[in-house]
Amino acid sequence: MESRPLYPDGQTRAATTARAALLGLWRALDMPDEAMDYVDLSGREPALPSSFPVGTAAQASMAAAALAAAELWHLRGGARQRVAVDMLHAAQECRSYFTLDGVAPDVHDKITGVYRCGDGGWVRIHANFAHHRDGALALLGCPAGGATTRQQVEQALSRWRALEFEQQAADAGLVVAAMRSFDEWDRHPQGLALAGQPVLTVERIGEADSRPLPRYGQGARPLKDIRVLDLTRIIAGPVCGRALAAYGADVMLINSPQLPNIETIAETSRGKLSVHADLETADGRIALANLLRSAHVFVQGYRPGALQALGFGPHEAAGMRPGIVYVSLSAYGDSGPWAQRRGFDSLVQTATGFNHAEAHAAGSPAPKPLPMQILDHASGYLMAYGAQVALARQATEGGSWHVRVSLAQTARWLRSLGRVPGGLQCPMPPIAGFLESTPSGFGLLAAVRHAAQFSLTPARWVRPSMPPGTHPTVWPFDPR
């Protein structure tokens, strides 16, 4: 008997369990099966209103990062400890909800969103940065700045075909995506370039002596004295650095004073040092090189090749700091025709078929986003997971290592987890019970406390979130 499709897009397989998803990630990087006996995963789908197992993706990716931290602790001489992650708590953490002095900032520009084009297709415009907004408006022939209305953008796009506008925007270095179905993405040259690739890769890229990690008493956290350079922005990369900070690393967020940020930096900077360095200047590059020479992990979210042009690509970094763990995040991977294309979570959801599939499941004619930016958050935890696996390999085998994660590959992984029948009927759960309040350099910050729980080395952020440029560009003498 043929199985009856659960969804109009033809998918029939129900969601993978979180434990199976975690085991797949764990074994993909040859991590020891014994560790799986020490992880507790509670909760079940649906966690949030979606036909996709977004709670499973949040829980499994976070558990992979936390369990890797516990393995590093064991490698450093600590007893094996239990790691617990609750699905609803993990999903709530991935919603990026926060308030400053009791007010939830509005992080979206009014022009950001989906629009129907003249050929009946849909495009999503990302306009949260002024230069992206004004570039898209210029392409449409609309006035730049805040005076343009969504109605004017809709009228302008009625004269465009969706794929044509997407391509011309990409040619201009803007951030726009046309909506595709899963089938259309699978037949797209970039979808074909990514087919069959693993969700993340950890590759040895150079020779270096091993640096065995020092051992500490039971009160220390797993990543004590591990120094991490965080050259990322928006959500995915900052989530990686935030997780490593929670597990004890000294994480230094490096921002250019010439580039804008969005309000989420207040929430994702918990636990980090925050400095300025303009890599377009010699002084900025010298400062970064000096920091790199005593770092353990280098995390970057530039487009493929961009940092190499500045002298800080993976092989250049390994030359300056043999034994470095270099972590790269991209939107669409580092091969294929879209390797250089800019992208954010919402755009990758649109381009790779999720907005189309979710809309079909909801019976909606318009694109429907997932209930949170799960591609960003899961990618961030996968980056943290890969970084810690590479740290363990460096400590035992030596070498310099390159970890690669892309939003599009994370999207393929989420899609592989199946669907949640009736998931869209789940109400959005309240978040208040998951919040903690702490002073920060941005005001009183209320945000979701970390969902990964350790039985012996509790995760925590010991440094408050601070604005860019608060700290000097030197490592602290007494790392915590």
Side-chain angles (χ1 to χ4, degrees), residues 190 303-304 330-342:
Q190 190 61 31
R303 285 183 298 157
S330 62
Y332 294 101
D334 57 2
S335 63
W338 282 18
Q340 301 296 313
R341 187 166 292 201
R342 292 178 171 90

Side-chain angles (χ1 to χ4, degrees), residues 142-449:
C142 296
T148 300
T149 65
R150 286 187 61 89
Q151 290 72 25
Q152 288 174 298
V153 174
E154 290 170 356
Q155 184 177 8
L157 280 168
S158 69
R159 300 187 290 271
W160 285 81
R161 293 188 293 272
L163 294 179
E164 179 185 5
F165 182 68
E166 175 191 64
Q167 185 60 53
Q168 291 206 24
D171 292 343
L174 304 173
V175 277
V176 170
M179 185 177 76
R180 292 172 176 79
S181 67
F182 283 148
D183 183 60
E184 288 170 329
W185 177 249
D186 290 344
R187 291 184 281 107
H188 188 275
Q190 190 61 31
L192 293 170
L194 298 178
Q197 293 188 17
V199 63
L200 76 164
T201 59
V202 179
E203 176 189 10
R204 186 170 180 147
I205 59 169
E207 297 306 311
D209 292 337
S210 63
R211 289 196 296 269
L213 300 171
R215 301 188 175 200
Y216 294 106
Q218 189 164 322
R221 287 175 294 160
L223 300 188
K224 178 176 170 58
D225 289 348
I226 298 298
R227 291 174 167 177
V228 179
L229 290 169
D230 182 354
L231 281 78
T232 67
R233 298 163 71 226
I234 317 304
I235 296 176
V239 163
C240 168
R242 186 186 67 189
L244 297 177
Y247 307 151
D250 281 299
V251 180
M252 183 178 289
L253 176 63
I254 298 181
N255 269 281
S256 168
Q258 309 304 323
L259 294 177
N261 281 288
I262 60 175
E263 286 85 348
T264 54
I265 191 173
E267 191 264 338
T268 59
S269 293
R270 285 178 286 174
K272 302 179 186 180
L273 300 162
S274 191
V275 309
H276 271 153
D278 185 353
L279 301 188
E280 298 295 333
T281 68
D283 286 347
R285 292 190 294 273
I286 291 169
L288 179 58
N290 287 336
L291 292 167
L292 173 59
R293 289 188 180 97
S294 58
H296 300 86
V297 181
F298 186 105
V299 184
Q300 63 91 13
Y302 286 68
R303 285 183 298 157
L307 271 185
Q308 183 175 351
L310 295 171
F312 293 96
H315 292 281
E316 291 80 9
M320 283 184 271
R321 174 59 160 164
I324 194 70
V325 171
Y326 192 101
V327 184
S328 295
L329 169 71
S330 62
Y332 294 101
D334 57 2
S335 63
W338 282 18
Q340 301 296 313
R341 187 166 292 201
R342 292 178 171 90
F344 299 101
D345 179 301
S346 57
L347 299 175
V348 177
Q349 284 188 35
T350 302
T352 63
F354 282 91
N355 288 176
H356 179 270
E358 194 83 310
H360 270 259
S364 169
K368 183 173 178 58
L370 300 177
M372 79 287 221
Q373 293 180 298
I374 186 57
L375 305 185
D376 266 336
H377 286 269
S379 293
Y381 290 114
L382 291 174
M383 293 165 72
Y385 168 48
Q388 292 174 106
V389 170
L391 278 171
R393 293 184 185 178
Q394 205 294 320
T396 55
E397 305 172 23
S400 299
W401 297 84
H402 189 192
V403 178
R404 287 177 291 173
V405 174
S406 76
L407 299 180
Q409 279 301 94
T410 300
R412 285 185 62 85
W413 174 67
L414 172 59
R415 184 175 161 190
S416 77
L417 300 181
R419 303 291 283 274
V420 181
L424 283 166
Q425 280 67 60
C426 171
M428 182 63 78
I431 202 168
F434 298 93
L435 300 178
E436 62 180 7
S437 294
T438 55
S440 82
F442 301 89
L444 183 64
L445 172 67
V448 176
R449 62 186 181 274

